[in-house]
Every structure is written in C-alpha cells, then in structure tokens.
Amino acid sequence: MLALRLTRGARPAVQLRRLLVTAASAGTGFLLLCALGYALSHPDSPGDATARLAWRLPPLAATVQLAVAVARTDPGTRPRPGLAAVGLGPARLMLVSVTTTALSCLLGSMLALLVFLHLRGDLTGMPFDGAATEALAAGTPLPVPGSLTLLALVPVIASAAVAFVLRPQGLGPAPDGGTRRSYGRFGAAGRTADRETSGSSGRFGTRVREAVRGTPGGGEEPQPAPGGVAVEAPAAETAPDALPPMPEPSPAPKGLPWGVAVLAAGLAVETYAAGASGDGGPALPAALPAGPTGVLVGWLLTAVGLALAAPGLTHLCGLVLQAVRPGALRLLAGRGLMAEATRIGRPLGVLCAVASAAYAMTPLPDAGSVGPLTALGAAVVTGCAVATLLTAAVEARQDRAGTTAALLRLGAPAGTLRAAAALRAGALLAVFGPLTLVVAGLAALPLSR
C-alpha cells in the first residue's frame, strides 16, 4: 500500500521514467513470448528456437539496467526524517523501491501478454489477416507454465538487481579508508560510526585538534594560569595545518585495462572468425547478419569491453580538462567528470556499444529487410540505453544539487555552471564519438567479406 501511495504521489518526471520501464518490460516480454511461439510452431528445429531465445538476452539486460537506473533516481524512496520516525529506514525503503520496480515490470508483462494473445487471435479473432500465424503459433495451445515463467523473468531479475544495488551498507571501514555512516534507531541517516565526546570541541563548537601537545607543528603547550589551571589555546590559534584539507580528486576506476583487453579480444575474435569457414554456428533470426558463431562472440566481447573501459575513459577526460594550468571553468568541469566517471561512464559505454553495432549493420546488403521482431528488439535496446544514460545524468545532477547551491550562494554565475556542463558534454562527445566510429568500422569489416 505504501509503495502504491508513493508511486501515485510522485512527480510527472518520475512517473514518465516508470512508464519507460513499463514499456521496456512490455517489449521484452513480447519478444520472449514470440520466441516461445516460434518454438511451438517449429518443433523440428530446436537450434533456431534456442538461438531466437538467446537473442532476447540483450533486450532483457537493457530493461534491467533501465529499471535499476530509475530506482536509483526515485526521490520517493530516499531516507527522510518523516519516514524514519515511523520505522521506515533504508532497508524498508529498499523494499518499497523493489516493490515499485516489480509493479512497473509486472504491468509491462501483462500488457505484453494481452498484445500477444490478441495477435494470436485468442481474444477477438485473428488480426492482420493471419499474417502473424507462423511466428506466434496461432491455433496451438499455449503452455501456461512456460508463458508465466518467461513473463516473470523481467520482474524477478529487475527486482533482484534493484535490491542488490540499493541494499543498505553496514558499518565498518569505507572503501576510501574513511568511516561508513550508520543509521539511527528508526533508520535515519546522519551519524558516523565514531562518536565524539564533549571534550573534542572547542568553546563555540569549533573543533580542537586532538594532538596539540607534543606534535610537530602543533603549536605550544598550554600555559598555566596564575591560579594554576592550564588554559587551552582556541582552535583558531592552532597551526595552519589544522584547517580542513582541500578535496582530493576522485580515484580512477580500475576497469580501463580490463576493458581495453576485452575490447581488443573481441575485435580479434571477429577478425579471426571472418577468415574461418561459415558452415558452423547456429542459424540466426531473420534480417540479422549471418555469420559464424565467432563473429557473434566477438560482438559480445566488444560490447563488454566498451562498458568496462568507459568509466576509465570518462575519468581520463576529466584529467585532460584540468591539464596545463586550468581555470575555474575547466577545473569545475574536470572535477565533475572525475566524480561522475562510474555513474555516467558505464551507461555511456553501453550506448556506444549499441551505436557501434547499429552503425556496423547499416551498410550490409540484408540490412533493409529488417523484420518486425528484429526492429522491436533494436528499439528496446536502443531506447533503454538512451533512457539509462539520461537517467544517470539526472542522478548526477541530483547529487550535485548541494554543490551547485553552494556555488550560487558564493556568487558563481549561473552561466559558468551551464558552460561547465556543456564543456563536460563536449569532452565526452569528442572522445566517445570517434571511438564508436572506429569500433563500428572494425566490427563491420568481417561482415562485409
């Protein structure tokens, strides 16, 4: 009930993102049911049926990725004092987010089932003069357990992925060497694991250094007062190193070498498979480029390599922007890219992989005979990749809201912030645009032979 109320009371932008998840789930569920229908109508060719079912994995993965990105940006499931006071801590809010994701995906699966049954003629008669009879196995009894299992794949996998990503983090040392934040009695965030005593603060709440006496550069020892009572020096009069340090740049993601290696391996597999004989490998669905299994494996490795290398490349873009005596604009844009390298880079790498695959398939002679199911699968994958990248950009903007407000209070012009955002987008386009064209050109070489 709470998940329904939070879903109903969300803003229009949040509702639009949830509708995108529903639409992606509906498209993926329909493709899975079509694979089942092909298997029912062609019982003598299990290889083709298995290959068609395997080609449904990219839309399924893209839909799950979109569902996780939408759940991360949902403002209704973030910890708030009002919800924490009634016992809705991070764990229960995570369950609310999982429930919301499951409802959105389940609605899409129901729509897919209704459209599938309508096209089969099980509801109102056979539409389109029976043109979809062979692909949907019209006239053949539909197995209920198999249909429900396929329709449950998207809600179950998406809910499990959201639960894993949004799980509450426990106490203990943080990955960066700091201290994890703990949660209060009712789940309210805001307390660190190491508590401070009343003696760790100065007179007006200013923090006093723990080791003033006897530390190098820590200042002089407290002088005894005439009455024999030692008086501590104020915190403002301590050494200059007592000031808080400047924020350090975000560490570089560690997946760049692995991504480059997997990308090179994928291109090598495609090149090697192009010279091999094409008599092996499973038959592909209609309108997809025919070729040996090695070419398909190379494509998959290339996509995985781009997704792994993209965060490191995004971090590198931020470093390049700050090179050679940067000003305030380049420094702001570069630090922003470095901080958002993992959040923005991974969806950007997936989008580059999709764009390179589409660009490589365009000049092929059979690219004009694209069937409806192939077009639907390509639309689901492309739409989910674009929507995931935009949703990640929204999440990054939400995380920068506090920093942006502080800069505006300090007098930073709003035009400078917009120019920094445009500079970040231009740097990413300058790096990932040529990279996508190069990868697409190399991937298209084996298919053009």
Side-chain angles (χ1 to χ4, degrees):
M1 185 61 68
L2 178 61
L4 291 176
R5 290 186 177 183
L6 291 176
T7 302
R8 185 183 59 183
R11 294 177 300 177
V14 180
Q15 300 287 10
L16 178 60
R17 292 196 290 265
R18 291 170 179 169
L19 287 178
L20 289 178
V21 175
T22 302
S25 177
T28 304
F30 183 78
L31 289 174
L32 291 172
L33 291 177
C34 289
L36 177 62
Y38 183 87
L40 293 176
S41 59
H42 299 80
D44 53 345
S45 56
D48 284 349
T50 304
R52 287 176 177 269
L53 185 60
W55 276 99
R56 272 51 175 177
L57 292 179
L60 177 61
T63 303
V64 172
Q65 184 188 22
L66 177 61
V68 171
V70 170
R72 288 171 59 95
T73 57
D74 194 348
T77 56
R78 291 187 175 183
R80 287 175 291 176
L83 295 179
V86 296
L88 291 177
R92 294 191 179 182
L93 287 179
M94 181 266 295
L95 293 178
V96 172
S97 182
V98 169
T99 305
T100 304
T101 303
L103 290 176
S104 300
C105 296
L106 187 60
L107 179 59
S109 297
M110 293 175 59
L111 291 177
L113 180 60
L114 290 177
V115 173
F116 184 76
L117 293 178
H118 173 68
L119 293 179
R120 276 172 49 93
D122 296 338
L123 298 179
T124 58
M126 182 65 64
F128 304 114
D129 296 332
T133 302
E134 183 179 0
L136 305 181
T140 304
L142 195 65
V144 177
S147 303
L148 295 181
T149 300
L150 292 177
L151 290 176
L153 286 179
V154 177
V156 170
I157 297 178
S159 302
V162 170
F164 177 78
V165 172
L166 301 183
R167 69 191 186 280
Q169 301 292 335
L171 299 178
D176 55 355
T179 309
R180 292 189 185 272
R181 300 181 66 86
S182 62
Y183 298 96
R185 182 178 180 184
F186 298 103
R191 191 177 78 234
T192 56
D194 298 332
R195 301 186 61 181
E196 296 180 356
T197 60
S198 59
S200 61
S201 299
R203 185 175 178 183
F204 296 104
T206 56
R207 185 167 299 180
V208 180
R209 299 183 59 195
E210 297 179 357
V212 175
R213 181 182 303 177
T215 57
E220 301 178 355
E221 296 185 358
Q223 301 295 329
V229 180
V231 179
E232 293 185 356
E237 298 179 3
T238 56
D241 57 352
L243 297 176
M246 293 297 292
E248 297 182 357
S250 302
K254 300 179 180 180
L256 180 58
W258 290 102
V260 174
V262 174
L263 178 61
L267 295 176
V269 168
E270 291 183 24
T271 305
Y272 175 78
S277 59
D279 52 355
L284 301 180
L288 289 176
T293 309
V295 176
L296 302 180
V297 174
W299 270 18
L300 293 178
L301 290 177
T302 302
V304 173
L306 284 174
L308 290 177
L313 292 177
T314 304
H315 192 274
L316 186 60
C317 289
L319 286 178
V320 172
L321 284 178
Q322 302 175 74
V324 191
R325 302 179 63 180
L329 180 61
R330 288 197 292 136
L331 187 64
L332 184 61
R335 289 295 174 89
L337 278 182
M338 294 171 66
E340 301 163 3
T342 302
R343 181 184 295 114
I344 298 294
R346 210 166 295 260
L348 186 58
V350 174
L351 182 60
C352 288
V354 174
S356 63
Y359 184 83
M361 291 173 57
T362 300
L364 297 179
D366 296 335
S369 59
V370 176
L373 296 182
T374 304
L376 177 60
V380 169
V381 173
T382 306
C384 288
V386 175
T388 302
L389 180 59
L390 296 178
T391 305
V394 170
E395 182 185 5
R397 183 179 180 182
Q398 291 176 354
D399 291 342
R400 291 196 313 265
T403 305
T404 302
L407 291 175
L408 292 177
R409 286 196 302 268
L410 292 175
T416 302
L417 301 179
R418 290 192 292 267
L423 186 59
R424 289 194 297 266
L428 293 178
L429 184 61
V431 171
F432 285 94
L435 177 63
T436 303
L437 294 178
V438 170
V439 173
L442 293 177
L445 287 179
L447 301 177
S448 59
R449 297 181 181 180

